[in-house]
């Protein structure tokens, strides 16, 4: 996988589909970037610890126009990114906006995720998946080798357990790491209706199965058995 000088891993150069990890304290999370309509770059779960050089490097791929908090927890990077890209707009699932507003009272309001549609073009969708308590942005982007999915916190792929002892113990007790696993803490904290969530994802798999899944925690996962791997983990809900 090609990596830029400032740490962006390139999944698809034509569509400017990029990812990188950032630290949110006890562990790591993933920022996903892709090009939508025209030269608009959509940034999902923007990281809070990026350098100016890393932010500026995105200008070679397009113009950052949308910042997406994938749910009521993934908001940390918005102040940094909005300062650096003042023309960018912040979006979040409707059910997560109230929680984010309490965390970031100094930031201009977040727009409902449905308002992002004109920025996406015809090869990407960003949907507020049903059955969640604080929203859950489901992203699908068509690339040269198939679709890339971002399922937010539902599935994780931590090659090694986090270093933080408390978070490490939590991952072990919930069988959420290491490897491509159901991220059980997200089920407890974020899922309202398991049957609705599962039915919605099953339908998405039937309509347009992904070639790559980019988890909110951990590196992308791909392979001929990706669907089987994902369903086996979702069965554990």
């Amino acid at each position: 996988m090609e990596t830029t000088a400032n740490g962006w891993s390139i999944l698809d150069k034509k569509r400017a589909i990029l990812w990188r990890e950032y630290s949110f304290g006890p562990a790591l999370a993933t920022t996903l970037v892709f090009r939508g309509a025209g030269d608009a770059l959509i940034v999902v779960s923007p990281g809070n610890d990026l350098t100016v050089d890393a932010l500026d490097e995105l200008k070679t791929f397009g113009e950052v126009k949308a910042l997406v908090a994938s749910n009521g927890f993934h908001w940390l990077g918005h102040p940094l990114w909005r300062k650096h890209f003042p023309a960018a707009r912040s979006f979040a699932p409707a059910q997560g906006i109230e929680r984010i507003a309490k965390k970031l009272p100094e930031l201009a309001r977040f727009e409902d995720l449905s308002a992002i549609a004109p920025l996406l073009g015809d090869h990407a969708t960003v949907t507020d998946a049903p059955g969640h308590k604080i929203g859950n942005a489901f992203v699908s982007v068509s690339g040269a080798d198939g679709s890339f999915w971002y399922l937010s916190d539902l599935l994780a792929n931590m090659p090694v357990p986090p270093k933080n002892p408390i978070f490490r113990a939590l991952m072990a007790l919930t069988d959420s790491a290491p490897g491509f696993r159901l991220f059980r803490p997200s089920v407890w904290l974020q899922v309202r209706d398991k049957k609705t969530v599962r039915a919605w994802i099953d339908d998405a798999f039937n309509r347009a199965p992904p070639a790559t899944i980019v988890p909110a925690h951990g590196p992308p996962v791909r392979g001929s058995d990706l669907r089987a791997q994902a369903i086996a983990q979702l069965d554990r809900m």
Side-chain angles (χ1 to χ4, degrees):
M1 186 183 302
E2 182 182 352
T3 303
T4 68
N6 291 288
W8 293 99
S9 295
I10 301 175
L11 294 171
D12 188 304
K13 183 172 287 187
K14 182 178 179 181
R15 296 293 193 193
I17 304 174
L18 321 169
W19 75 280
R20 70 183 300 140
E21 289 184 309
Y22 67 93
S23 173
F24 65 92
L28 299 175
T30 298
T31 294
L32 174 71
V33 177
F34 65 90
R35 189 186 299 114
D39 68 344
L41 292 183
I42 315 300
V43 183
V44 184
S45 189
N48 63 327
D49 60 356
L50 276 72
T51 65
V52 170
D53 288 343
L55 295 172
D56 282 342
E57 193 172 41
L58 290 176
K59 296 175 184 177
T60 63
F61 296 95
E63 181 182 355
V64 174
K65 293 188 176 181
L67 307 171
V68 178
S70 58
N71 54 46
F73 291 102
H74 283 251
W75 50 264
L76 284 176
H78 283 258
L80 170 68
W81 287 70
R82 287 280 290 276
K83 182 178 179 180
H84 198 80
F85 301 104
R89 298 156 60 189
S90 287
F91 300 86
Q95 291 178 309
I97 290 177
E98 182 178 355
R99 186 179 192 278
I100 295 171
K102 292 178 181 178
K103 299 292 184 179
L104 298 174
E106 76 284 1
L107 206 61
R109 74 180 183 87
F110 278 64
E111 298 179 57
D112 189 295
L113 199 57
S114 60
I116 200 174
L119 297 175
L120 299 179
D122 59 3
H123 62 275
T125 58
V126 180
T127 308
D128 187 357
H132 292 81
K133 300 175 185 176
I134 55 171
N136 190 68
F138 171 87
V139 179
S140 178
V141 186
S142 296
D145 297 324
S147 295
F148 293 81
W149 277 15
Y150 177 93
L151 280 173
S152 199
D153 287 321
L154 198 57
L155 295 171
N157 181 35
M158 303 180 197
V160 296
K163 293 181 180 179
N164 178 281
I166 296 176
F167 207 67
R168 186 185 186 93
L170 177 63
M171 295 301 97
L173 288 171
T174 60
D175 194 20
S176 298
F180 185 45
R181 314 291 291 168
L182 177 73
F183 194 45
R184 198 175 295 280
S186 77
V187 177
W188 297 340
L189 293 172
Q190 301 177 28
V191 173
R192 184 186 303 279
D193 187 328
K194 295 179 182 179
K195 290 184 178 180
T196 297
V197 171
R198 182 59 192 275
W200 192 89
I201 294 178
D202 284 346
D203 181 63
F205 266 115
N206 291 332
R207 285 185 284 107
T212 303
I213 290 178
V214 182
H217 302 277
V221 183
R222 61 184 306 138
S224 59
D225 62 343
L226 180 59
R227 177 174 181 163
Q229 288 187 64
I231 288 177
Q233 292 303 315
L234 293 169
D235 283 343
R236 299 172 56 225
M237 276 204 294

